[in-house]
Amino acid sequence: MTDQPVALPLEKIPQHVAIIMDGNGRWALSRGLPRLAGHKAGTENLRRVIRSTVEFGIPYLTIYAFSTENWGRPPEEVQGLMRILEDVIDRELSELDKEGVQLRHIGRLERLAPSLQEKVLDAVDMTKHNTRLTLNIAFNYGGRDEIVQAIQRIIRDGVPAEDVSDEMVGRYLYTAGVPDPDLIIRTSGELRVSNFLIWQAAYSEWYITPTYWPDFDKEEYRRALETFAQRDRRFGGISEAVANRARNG
Ligand code: FPP
């Protein structure tokens, strides 16, 4: 699977990368193709990016494939995206499983066709013991919806108000057990969060590129990781260098 050595400093490799795969429609439009051709090219690229993620040694990847707002798209595009999810499971599952990828779904399954719901649940069950890469597929996912559901479940469980904490809320989210994303990549240049991992992204670093998703290649992925490696993450505190200077007068 490896085609070139990874020169990035290991301690600076993010544990969790999340991607807003934007720009499929414009990629297609710029070639005079229907929007679905853009989503198909985006799916091909996703396959390459998953492979690169394994090669870079990143253990968690989350991809935004269908938002709770995407139902507002033309019915044939919505149907096309449903079919893509089905095809990805049908065609790629055994290869992903062989490569040690654990599939997880984040979002609401209810509105999907029962046969697709079953496929997703089977894929999650089949790969649940894999440990090389955890791939969260955000499909019919919305960050606010996730938080609302968490609050409802906390109340239903009868948790006393004083026991509600940051860490406890995390356990009620779809991403329970998954570290928060260190790096979020958004393609096609939009400067928006778009309801993606809004709780989990509190201290994530962002890499935003004008490149349309189908053209986001391994070289640019590496550039995103290199940019990340140079960031000084302070999590609301001060950098180590500044702290040392302060300590040493
Ligand atoms: C945003 O581009 C992209 C999406 C809403 C769908 C992303 C889906 C894939 C890349 C396919 C992989 C899917 C699965 C289920 C694994 P856009 O259509 O909003 O682009 P535009 O802003 O240029 O119109």
Side-chain angles (χ1 to χ4, degrees), residues 20-29 35 38-47 50 63-67 70 73 77 80-86 88-89 135 137-139 186-188 190 192 212-214:
I20 302 180
M21 311 179 289
D22 200 6
N24 293 344
R26 278 163 286 167
W27 181 93
L29 193 72
R35 291 180 56 81
H39 294 315
K40 286 192 181 136
T43 308
E44 285 306 308
N45 196 43
L46 177 59
R47 182 186 289 127
I50 293 171
I63 50 141
Y64 206 6
F66 191 92
S67 76
N70 286 155
R73 294 192 174 206
E77 186 172 345
L81 286 164
M82 298 288 155
R83 212 166 314 118
I84 285 178
L85 177 61
E86 195 163 354
V88 165
I89 296 175
L135 174 62
I137 301 182
F139 198 95
R186 179 163 194 156
T187 55
S188 94
E190 307 294 347
R192 283 189 290 275
Y212 294 149
W213 171 249

Side-chain angles (χ1 to χ4, degrees), residues 28-71:
L29 193 72
S30 69
R31 286 166 171 73
L33 298 169
R35 291 180 56 81
L36 264 178
H39 294 315
K40 286 192 181 136
T43 308
E44 285 306 308
N45 196 43
L46 177 59
R47 182 186 289 127
R48 294 188 287 270
V49 165
I50 293 171
R51 187 166 300 134
S52 301
T53 303
V54 171
E55 287 170 12
F56 287 134
I58 297 163
Y60 295 92
L61 175 68
T62 300
I63 50 141
Y64 206 6
F66 191 92
S67 76
T68 45
E69 289 71 39
N70 286 155
W71 293 101

Side-chain angles (χ1 to χ4, degrees), residues 33-177:
L33 298 169
R35 291 180 56 81
L36 264 178
H39 294 315
K40 286 192 181 136
T43 308
E44 285 306 308
N45 196 43
L46 177 59
R47 182 186 289 127
R48 294 188 287 270
V49 165
I50 293 171
R51 187 166 300 134
S52 301
T53 303
V54 171
E55 287 170 12
F56 287 134
I58 297 163
Y60 295 92
L61 175 68
T62 300
I63 50 141
Y64 206 6
F66 191 92
S67 76
T68 45
E69 289 71 39
N70 286 155
W71 293 101
R73 294 192 174 206
E76 59 281 8
E77 186 172 345
V78 170
Q79 273 321 306
L81 286 164
M82 298 288 155
R83 212 166 314 118
I84 285 178
L85 177 61
E86 195 163 354
D87 282 355
V88 165
I89 296 175
D90 285 345
R91 295 191 195 155
E92 311 291 341
L93 184 61
S94 68
E95 173 73 12
L96 288 168
D97 187 39
K98 244 191 356 242
E99 292 295 342
V101 177
Q102 180 186 144
L103 276 185
R104 282 178 66 151
H105 167 255
I106 64 171
R108 277 184 194 256
L109 275 184
E110 299 101 88
R111 221 174 140 181
L112 276 49
S115 58
L116 183 53
Q117 293 185 30
E118 205 173 309
K119 261 188 193 165
V120 172
L121 292 173
D122 286 350
V124 168
D125 189 58
M126 173 175 166
T127 59
K128 67 183 175 208
H129 297 300
N130 293 339
T131 54
R132 201 166 175 206
L133 171 70
T134 298
L135 174 62
N136 296 307
I137 301 182
F139 198 95
N140 196 19
Y141 171 88
R144 286 190 173 184
D145 185 54
E146 178 180 37
I147 294 169
V148 167
Q149 286 209 64
I151 294 170
Q152 289 175 340
R153 286 175 46 225
I154 288 169
I155 293 172
R156 264 190 227 115
D157 283 355
V159 177
E162 56 277 18
D163 288 355
V164 178
S165 65
D166 177 332
E167 181 269 329
M168 202 211 74
V169 172
R171 277 190 273 123
Y172 277 84
L173 299 175
Y174 296 128
T175 50

